[in-house]
Amino acid sequence: MPMISSLSSRERRRSRTFLFAAALTAMPVFGGAHADDTVRQVLPGAQPMVAPQQLTREKAPDQSEIERFCSNIADAARDRRYALQAEELKQLQAGIDERMKALDAKKAEYETWLKRREVFLARAEDGVVKIYAGMKPDAAAERLAIVNADLAAAILMKLDSRKAGVILNEMDQKAAATLTGIMASAARRVDPS
């Protein structure tokens, strides 16, 4: 750098111009230089660079060739599409069949559970009715007033009519009226609604 500062401004301009001209001559000119003229660095043990071949541009197929190709493969493509759809339908059907089997198993399980429940309720109802039939009327009336009205009405309907009348006689008027209304609506043969 000290050398450049010792140069006059004119000499500095000349040296810049000279460097610029030298750089321009060293650079290949577009269109004038060939790829073979460039210097390439080859690493030791590497394969030598092969000269690039001229690429030839293939002629684009015309529309008639494309149409012929498409028409030739149309049947095969349609068959393949149908085969794929058929395979997908088979898979869906297999899934539906598995779900149907699971639903049938659940249905059978629920039916057996419902039968056991109905048998249990029938036994329990008979046992509950026998319990209330053996109670004193005033104690039975007190307990049935606390129980759900529908259940109390069902128990009274299964009791002997004389025993049910005595229990209703011991009940509060409002509770007795409610139970009587429920029992009367249950005894109807035709649905009033």
Side-chain angles (χ1 to χ4, degrees):
M1 291 284 182
M3 283 180 64
I4 295 176
S5 61
S6 65
L7 296 176
S8 67
S9 64
R10 181 179 265 188
E11 289 174 340
R12 274 189 246 150
R13 271 191 246 131
R14 280 186 191 165
S15 65
R16 280 191 218 141
T17 308
F18 177 75
L19 288 173
F20 182 72
L24 280 178
T25 56
M27 292 175 54
V29 180
F30 290 85
H34 297 288
D36 297 337
D37 295 343
T38 59
V39 177
R40 297 185 189 260
Q41 180 180 3
V42 178
L43 297 174
Q47 295 179 351
M49 189 76 148
V50 179
Q53 298 174 352
Q54 288 289 339
L55 296 177
T56 57
R57 183 165 238 185
E58 292 184 22
K59 180 180 138 185
D62 61 345
Q63 192 64 25
S64 63
E65 288 180 33
I66 295 171
E67 289 173 359
R68 275 186 281 152
F69 176 76
C70 291
S71 65
N72 287 342
I73 66 164
D75 292 334
R78 186 180 318 111
D79 292 343
R80 179 67 180 148
R81 188 170 46 249
Y82 290 154
L84 289 173
Q85 289 174 350
E87 182 64 31
E88 186 178 347
L89 287 174
K90 286 179 185 177
Q91 290 174 354
L92 291 173
Q93 184 64 40
I96 290 171
D97 291 341
E98 287 178 25
R99 289 181 181 168
M100 291 292 289
K101 288 178 184 176
L103 284 175
D104 289 340
K106 283 289 185 187
K107 180 181 174 186
E109 181 182 334
Y110 285 133
E111 285 176 352
T112 56
W113 180 83
L114 185 61
K115 287 177 185 176
R116 285 193 333 227
R117 181 179 179 271
E118 288 173 356
V119 168
F120 173 77
L121 288 177
R123 287 182 188 157
E125 285 179 10
D126 291 339
V128 170
V129 170
K130 287 180 184 177
I131 290 171
Y132 277 96
M135 291 175 80
K136 293 184 179 178
D138 57 337
E142 185 180 323
R143 303 301 186 284
L144 285 176
I146 300 170
V147 175
N148 182 343
D150 291 334
L151 179 61
I155 291 171
L156 286 173
M157 285 180 68
K158 289 197 173 190
L159 283 175
D160 180 44
S161 59
R162 189 171 289 168
K163 181 78 171 174
V166 174
I167 292 174
L168 281 173
N169 189 33
E170 293 292 328
M171 278 189 167
D172 178 43
Q173 289 180 353
K174 278 182 124 182
T178 303
L179 292 176
T180 305
I182 292 171
M183 291 188 315
S185 65
R188 286 188 197 147
R189 300 276 184 222
V190 180
D191 187 13
S193 57

